[in-house]
Amino acid sequence: MKYAAIATTIALSLSTTAFAHDEKGPHGGAVEHAGAYHVELVAKGTSVEVFVLDGALKPIDHTGQKGLAILIVGGKSARIQLAATGTDRLTGTAPTAIKGAPKGAVQIALPSGSTVQAKF
């Protein structure tokens, strides 16, 4: 009986985790938690856009932020430098077009000196 309860708890945890990744952001990209923030990743062709959002999925000021996206592009790992573009996003360019939903991780250095990371 004890093992059945543990197995049920694990199964529920895994199913909840699977559904947590289905959230879409205001720009149509996948959204993942990153500390106290949310990170939205949008990839179209070779263009990579990253938005750091607050808990209500509202954009925060990106002035002074920089980041790094490590994504699977063409079957290989690609390091894509991200720089602030205006105040609402970070952008970078992949070496080749990204097909489908991007897979990988994004790390962003905030002006406060702290960093946030999201896995996609």
Side-chain angles (χ1 to χ4, degrees):
M1 184 71 165
K2 182 195 295 188
Y3 295 111
I6 292 171
T8 301
T9 301
I10 291 171
L12 288 173
S13 297
L14 292 175
S15 65
T16 303
T17 302
F19 289 115
H21 299 288
D22 291 337
E23 187 173 12
K24 292 287 182 190
H27 305 95
V31 174
E32 294 294 338
H33 293 278
Y37 301 98
H38 291 83
V39 174
E40 180 181 8
L41 176 61
V42 178
K44 294 177 184 170
T46 60
S47 174
V48 176
E49 295 181 319
V50 175
F51 303 86
V52 181
L53 310 166
D54 65 14
L57 298 182
K58 301 293 182 200
I60 66 166
D61 186 357
H62 288 53
T63 304
Q65 293 180 354
K66 60 183 178 178
L68 175 68
I70 302 173
L71 303 176
I72 303 301
V73 180
K76 299 178 190 173
S77 177
R79 297 173 67 87
I80 302 164
Q81 296 295 323
L82 302 170
T85 304
T87 60
D88 71 337
R89 72 191 72 203
L90 299 165
T91 60
T93 304
T96 60
I98 298 172
K99 296 180 173 56
K103 302 280 186 232
V106 174
Q107 184 175 23
I108 299 166
L110 301 173
S112 65
S114 63
T115 59
V116 294
Q117 181 174 329
K119 295 179 183 177
F120 293 88

